[in-house]
Amino acid sequence: MVAVVTLVVVAALAVATVARAQPYMYYCGSTTGQPEPPALPAGATPLLVQFVTRHGDRAPLRAPCWPQYDYEWNCTLTQLNDPDESAGNKVPSLARAYREHYMYGRNELPGNCEKAQLTDIGYTQQNQLGQIMRKHYITKQQFLPASHNPGDLFVRYDTDSRTKQSALAFIDGLYPRPTDGQKSSQVIDTFTMDRKYDDLSPNTNLCPCISQYQAQVQASPEWQKHQETVVDPLVEQLEAVLGSPVTASWAMDCGMSMQCHGMNLPNGFTEDMLNQLLESQIWQDHELMMYPNVSYYGRLAMGFLLAEMYDAMLNTLAGAAQPKLLLYSAHDSSVETLLNMFDVWDLKWPPYASYVLFELYRDAAGDAAVRVVYNGKQMPLSWCGGNSCSFDEFSQLIQVLTPSDPSTECAC
């Protein structure tokens, strides 16, 4: 079987960042990285860390955003590929690699970017996050070795290029590439799967009930009132300004992508309208995730991944061979759904390069416990009556938040 060795190559920044003056600009994230996790309680030691991240800054998801959309997206982030049949964590130094380009002017977005492609800003955000975690878990905690050890790291992403490149950027920050002129190249295995079976984000293929719940929520009186009083008037204004039919989510994504890159919105598309679009989308996401209750939607949308993460904790406590750090490079829907499941979502869109950390540790008394950290802040876990859960408490919570019988619960 032939694998492909992939390298991420970053050139100079193609676009300037914009001053973060508007209330919605938190969405864009920071190029200096999210804050590191707070220190564990005195005498505690980490046993296992698992990150679910949102990818870094990207180009718009959809194209063209509207007629006469002429904003160019020229990406300097590329990939070097090399077909490979070897095994092991070392290969001879690459004598040749193949650089992949999107051809200028031949894509749905004007310029040379793939739709939703990770930008150089996004690469920097994730690389900075990796550096912050290196400082925390290697320099301070000495939890991970200073040099990469294959058994300590597990990396997974879905089939979107932005989650893949975000994961590689994080690794490059956590473990900078060797620069000592070695005659062999270091290989770090990463993992993905067919999208049909992927549980890194809510997946209606894995659980068709999600689609049914979405339809039921959208038929509710509350949703219809929001549609009539908030969404429809906004869309009417936008269509008058842009001269074509649009959807609220489409306009929000395109507008936020532009604002994060210092691009001016079209005349008449005001910053207030963009903020209303973002707040409206947050309201809709929250309504969906609360149906039929705070835990049930989450268990079908993200409970499959949470069950895998819990299994990793069990393996660690049982002394089984188990990586110390697991990275799941995912999406905003992944992050906000997990936060909502634990009743700690702040009703703000997860910024680019956000992370949710599930940390298994042993306290000073020798008992296992779990804490949840979001972008540097330890979240209060009301289910457990404090800022962390004993492992027994967390295990009980897992029974609520993960499917007990997926074949039955997802068969609508």
Side-chain angles (χ1 to χ4, degrees):
M1 185 174 74
V2 177
V4 177
V5 175
T6 303
L7 299 167
V8 179
V9 181
V10 185
L13 292 177
V15 293
T17 55
V18 67
R20 306 297 167 86
Q22 297 304 320
Y24 51 74
M25 291 305 290
Y26 72 86
Y27 175 106
C28 303
S30 169
T31 55
T32 59
Q34 297 290 352
E36 69 177 293
L40 286 169
T45 55
L47 300 175
L48 175 70
V49 294
Q50 300 186 81
F51 290 93
V52 179
T53 62
R54 185 190 181 191
H55 54 77
D57 176 87
R58 56 160 172 77
L61 280 169
R62 302 169 178 86
C65 288
W66 40 75
Q68 291 79 51
Y69 183 87
D70 57 0
Y71 300 88
E72 281 203 355
W73 289 84
N74 290 310
C75 292
T76 57
L77 186 67
T78 61
Q79 289 194 163
L80 296 177
N81 300 309
D82 182 41
D84 174 59
E85 293 184 295
S86 66
N89 61 354
K90 294 283 186 180
V91 296
S93 289
L94 298 178
R96 174 181 295 164
Y98 299 88
R99 180 178 286 116
E100 180 180 281
H101 298 273
Y102 274 78
M103 296 174 65
Y104 179 84
R106 303 290 293 274
N107 311 295
E108 294 183 61
L109 281 173
N112 69 351
C113 292
E114 173 192 14
K115 282 191 307 183
Q117 180 174 335
L118 191 74
T119 66
D120 42 10
I121 295 173
Y123 179 93
T124 298
Q125 290 172 326
Q126 287 287 349
N127 187 264
Q128 288 291 328
L129 183 59
Q131 291 182 47
I132 287 167
M133 297 310 164
R134 179 179 177 83
K135 176 182 177 182
H136 185 78
Y137 285 110
I138 296 176
T139 305
K140 290 183 178 179
Q141 299 276 352
Q142 298 183 350
F143 173 63
L144 294 169
S147 299
H148 172 253
N149 174 34
D152 288 334
L153 181 65
F154 174 84
V155 180
R156 182 178 150 200
Y157 41 78
D158 62 23
T159 53
D160 288 336
S161 65
R162 62 187 181 277
T163 59
K164 174 182 179 178
Q165 291 185 328
S166 290
L168 303 187
F170 180 100
I171 298 170
D172 281 348
L174 183 68
Y175 285 115
R177 299 184 190 188
T179 58
D180 55 0
Q182 298 181 24
K183 294 183 178 180
S184 61
S185 297
Q186 185 181 66
V187 175
I188 297 178
D189 290 313
T190 61
F191 298 87
T192 189
M193 65 180 69
D194 288 338
R195 199 59 173 264
K196 181 177 180 179
Y197 302 110
D198 203 320
D199 57 13
L200 285 181
S201 57
N203 186 342
T204 55
N205 287 313
L206 279 179
C207 196
C209 284
I210 296 174
S211 296
Q212 179 173 305
Y213 291 152
Q214 289 172 339
Q216 291 172 354
V217 171
Q218 291 168 0
S220 70
E222 295 81 6
W223 188 283
Q224 293 299 315
K225 180 180 179 181
H226 181 81
Q227 186 73 28
E228 294 169 4
T229 60
V230 178
V231 178
D232 289 347
L234 269 173
V235 168
E236 288 178 10
Q237 293 179 61
L238 284 166
E239 290 180 342
V241 167
L242 301 173
S244 87
V246 296
T247 66
S249 61
W250 192 322
M252 188 276 287
D253 181 77
C254 286
M256 287 306 313
S257 298
M258 294 170 64
Q259 287 283 276
C260 290
H261 283 258
M263 300 178 181
N264 293 325
L265 296 171
N267 290 334
F269 188 166
T270 67
E271 293 167 340
D272 181 62
M273 291 166 67
L274 181 55
N275 195 57
Q276 290 182 61
L277 287 169
L278 180 64
E279 292 299 317
S280 172
Q281 189 66 56
I282 290 171
W283 184 90
Q284 290 178 330
D285 285 358
H286 188 244
E287 283 293 296
L288 174 61
M289 289 187 286
M290 296 300 289
Y291 184 89
N293 58 56
V294 66
S295 60
Y296 199 73
Y297 172 83
R299 66 189 279 154
L300 302 185
M302 292 299 295
F304 296 96
L305 178 63
L306 189 59
E308 293 181 41
M309 297 169 71
Y310 178 67
D311 285 345
M313 295 180 188
L314 291 175
N315 289 338
T316 296
L317 292 176
Q322 168 70 49
K324 292 182 175 182
L325 187 151
L326 290 82
L327 171 66
Y328 301 97
S329 181
H331 300 272
D332 44 14
S333 59
S334 315
V335 170
E336 68 181 20
T337 305
L338 282 170
L339 292 173
N340 199 67
M341 290 168 70
F342 285 86
D343 200 24
V344 293
W345 187 29
D346 60 4
L347 297 183
K348 290 186 177 181
W349 204 281
Y352 288 129
S354 288
Y355 71 89
V356 182
L357 164 65
F358 293 83
E359 186 167 26
L360 174 68
Y361 66 94
R362 200 172 295 283
D363 64 22
D367 297 321
V370 178
R371 67 172 182 167
V372 178
V373 176
Y374 174 52
N375 289 345
K377 180 180 179 182
Q378 185 162 327
M379 308 310 293
L381 298 177
S382 57
W383 298 74
C384 304
N387 286 332
S388 61
C389 295
S390 70
F391 191 72
D392 287 343
E393 290 173 327
F394 189 77
S395 297
Q396 293 172 14
L397 181 54
I398 286 295
Q399 302 309 310
V400 177
L401 298 180
T402 58
S404 57
D405 184 1
S407 63
T408 300
E409 293 184 58
C410 286
C412 293

